[in-house]
Amino acid sequence: GRNRLNNYIAVHQAHMSDLVLDGFVVRDDSSFLTLPSVVILEGTIVCLDGISLDVQKQITILEGTGHTAWVKTTQFTYQAWIRGGASIFRYCSPHGHRPYVHKHVFAPFDSGRETEIVEITDEDRIPTMREVIEELREWHGHHAARIRDELR
């Protein structure tokens, strides 16, 4: 929903600090770029065992200016992958051929092929970036031994 830009950034930074302290996130290489009508959050969240999450978010300025402007995320892509390029999953906001938020699921240990596309039609079930990272941490927990074997 709507949020003040300064609060949006503060919540993002607090979540990222918590995730780094938890140990799964190694480094947050994402940053905010403020343009006249939109704020872009873009970069990579570096995680354990060569796992990364590429983040691209468009946060539209609805009204106001500066840090007290009202904003809302209007487009996003969260691409989870393992070093070497194999995708794990990707969340996308609606675009062209897909009218709903959707998740692409891949088989990173089986040629990286796409195995499923899940449409998320209930707005309350659209994950936040933190929830995506927590899902990725859970995925890592189930696959850490195999990742380490594959990286040898």
Side-chain angles (χ1 to χ4, degrees), residues 45 86 93-94 151:
I45 310 300
S93 54
L151 292 176

Side-chain angles (χ1 to χ4, degrees), residues 91-112:
Y91 281 94
C92 303
S93 54
H95 58 88
H97 62 283
R98 299 240 171 240
Y100 299 104
V101 169
H102 52 284
K103 176 185 176 186
H104 300 261
V105 181
F106 300 90
F109 305 114
D110 180 17
S111 74

Side-chain angles (χ1 to χ4, degrees), residues 105-126:
V105 181
F106 300 90
F109 305 114
D110 180 17
S111 74
R113 66 186 174 80
E114 186 174 64
T115 59
E116 183 180 16
I117 299 176
V118 179
E119 287 196 338
I120 303 169
T121 57
D122 181 352
E123 197 167 310
D124 293 335
R125 297 185 53 88
I126 297 170

Side-chain angles (χ1 to χ4, degrees), residues 14-108:
H15 284 319
M16 293 313 302
S17 293
D18 289 348
L19 290 163
V20 169
L21 287 174
D22 276 354
F24 175 64
V25 172
V26 176
R27 190 174 67 247
D28 174 11
D29 286 342
S30 68
S31 60
F32 289 92
L33 172 64
T34 304
L35 300 172
S37 63
V38 70
V39 177
I40 305 295
L41 173 60
E42 191 169 55
T44 300
I45 310 300
V46 180
C47 304
L48 291 176
D49 294 324
I51 293 175
S52 292
L53 183 72
D54 290 337
V55 175
Q56 293 181 317
K57 288 179 83 169
Q58 180 176 306
I59 305 152
T60 299
I61 298 171
L62 302 173
E63 62 182 86
T65 60
H67 281 20
T68 59
W70 287 100
V71 299
K72 181 179 180 174
T73 299
T74 50
Q75 292 181 354
F76 62 87
T77 302
Y78 306 121
Q79 172 82 36
W81 55 279
I82 305 172
R83 182 173 48 235
S87 293
I88 301 166
F89 59 74
R90 180 177 69 242
Y91 281 94
C92 303
S93 54
H95 58 88
H97 62 283
R98 299 240 171 240
Y100 299 104
V101 169
H102 52 284
K103 176 185 176 186
H104 300 261
V105 181
F106 300 90

